[in-house]
Amino acid sequence: MSKRIDVSDLDVFYGDFLAVEGVNMTIDARQATALIGPSGCGKSTFLRTLNRMHEVIPGARVQGKALMDGQDLYGTDVDPVTVRRQIGMVFQRPNPFPTMSISDNVLAGVRLNNRRMSKGDQQDLVEQSLRGANLWNEVKDRLARPGSSLSGGQQQRLCIARAIAVKPQVLLMDEPCSALDPISTLAIEDLIAELKSDYTIVIVTHNMQQAARVSDRTAFFNIAGTGKPGKLIEMDDTATMFSSPREQATEDYISGRFG
């Protein structure tokens, strides 16, 4: 079951530096939410707080609340590893494990979580995950080949297969197409449209057309200047954000006047 996330008064720090300030946001289940805004405004930083990846950086911390279906992701009794299992992440550059086979790449997260599986169950999960990432038909005859033997776009879909193999409820994507050619980008966008029927998806993108194409809701982040914190300026249904945003800064950014 995909989950909704409620964020309230979230501040994100690197040491003493306040990187993102006062985010209030609801991320709806089974929808794609796009985070847009100029470079350095805290979109990726905020994204990483949702599965507690932010705190792996020394001195990084979060204040405020992030609840997934009412459970505080930062509760004292909550294991960050469990959070990352429930909330998967796909990064900007495809990062399959280069020496591992395609099928071992898919199973990497499952094995990390010490899930004992029979050979048959492993094969089923590999097929199911690769089908889920729209990659099965392209790789089914070469599952023993290294993950690095695939093209960039295929590697990114392999990373998505690896992320969904552990059965998360939420998928975070940090500019998943920025290193890809237009055809691979289209394949990932089509995949996002399919995946959101099963997952809650949050995607950071610098591509306005992409945000308009793939997301149901869009959140615009901005920054007042260097050394200032990034802030959520507004959030709305994507169609509304792109046709009649409330804030002038949003309109300026979307129309390409700055950013």
Side-chain angles (χ1 to χ4, degrees):
M1 269 301 295
S2 61
K3 308 272 186 153
R4 84 176 232 172
I5 297 177
D6 293 285
V7 175
S8 50
D9 300 324
L10 196 77
D11 295 334
V12 190
F13 293 86
Y14 292 104
D16 295 331
F17 174 62
L18 178 59
V20 181
E21 182 177 27
V23 177
N24 292 284
M25 177 189 294
T26 294
I27 296 164
D28 291 318
R30 293 176 190 266
Q31 288 203 334
T33 298
L35 310 181
I36 63 169
S39 293
C41 69
K43 306 178 298 294
S44 295
T45 294
F46 170 70
L47 189 76
R48 292 165 71 93
T49 66
L50 297 176
N51 74 341
R52 299 189 59 170
M53 285 286 290
H54 173 66
E55 68 200 53
V56 302
I57 299 162
R61 61 193 169 87
V62 167
Q63 289 175 350
K65 284 255 190 287
L67 308 178
M68 184 160 76
D69 280 5
Q71 185 195 22
D72 186 353
L73 295 172
Y74 284 86
T76 47
D77 54 342
V78 174
D79 177 4
V81 177
T82 307
V83 173
R84 291 175 203 137
R85 196 177 305 156
Q86 294 171 318
I87 304 178
M89 186 133 187
V90 176
F91 296 92
Q92 192 168 354
R93 297 204 167 269
N95 58 348
F97 300 113
T99 57
M100 279 189 195
S101 70
I102 291 168
S103 59
D104 283 344
N105 259 287
V106 175
L107 295 167
V110 181
R111 288 177 177 151
L112 204 61
N113 293 324
N114 291 329
R115 291 230 321 258
R116 294 240 171 261
M117 296 176 82
S118 70
K119 200 85 174 161
D121 285 347
Q122 288 184 14
Q123 287 168 341
D124 289 348
L125 182 62
V126 167
E127 177 172 348
Q128 185 188 347
S129 304
L130 289 168
R131 281 189 187 281
N134 277 348
L135 191 56
W136 175 251
N137 288 337
E138 293 163 54
V139 302
K140 63 183 184 210
D141 300 323
R142 46 179 173 151
L143 295 175
R145 298 263 308 274
S148 53
S149 68
L150 299 175
S151 71
Q154 289 173 325
Q155 285 186 28
Q156 192 62 299
R157 280 181 287 147
L158 178 60
C159 294
I160 292 171
R162 184 174 69 197
I164 61 182
V166 294
K167 308 269 195 290
Q169 283 116 7
V170 180
L171 270 181
L172 309 178
M173 299 185 168
D174 192 359
E175 294 191 58
C177 305
S178 66
L180 304 180
D181 64 85
I183 289 176
S184 301
T185 295
L186 187 62
I188 300 283
E189 289 181 5
D190 289 345
L191 179 54
I192 290 168
E194 287 174 34
L195 289 173
K196 70 183 184 192
S197 57
D198 295 314
Y199 303 93
T200 303
I201 294 178
V202 189
I203 175 173
V204 169
T205 179
H206 277 284
N207 182 326
M208 293 305 97
Q209 290 77 23
Q210 181 169 74
R213 284 191 298 261
V214 304
S215 70
D216 302 284
R217 290 175 67 74
T218 296
F220 171 61
F221 283 75
N222 203 2
I223 189 166
T226 309
K228 298 276 199 294
K231 293 186 175 181
L232 173 62
I233 305 300
E234 66 175 304
M235 180 174 185
D236 211 328
D237 292 337
T238 296
T240 307
M241 283 283 279
F242 279 82
S243 59
S244 49
R246 292 189 302 276
E247 301 292 331
Q248 185 63 44
T250 313
E251 184 161 329
D252 290 348
Y253 181 73
I254 286 172
S255 62
R257 281 197 279 275
F258 85 94

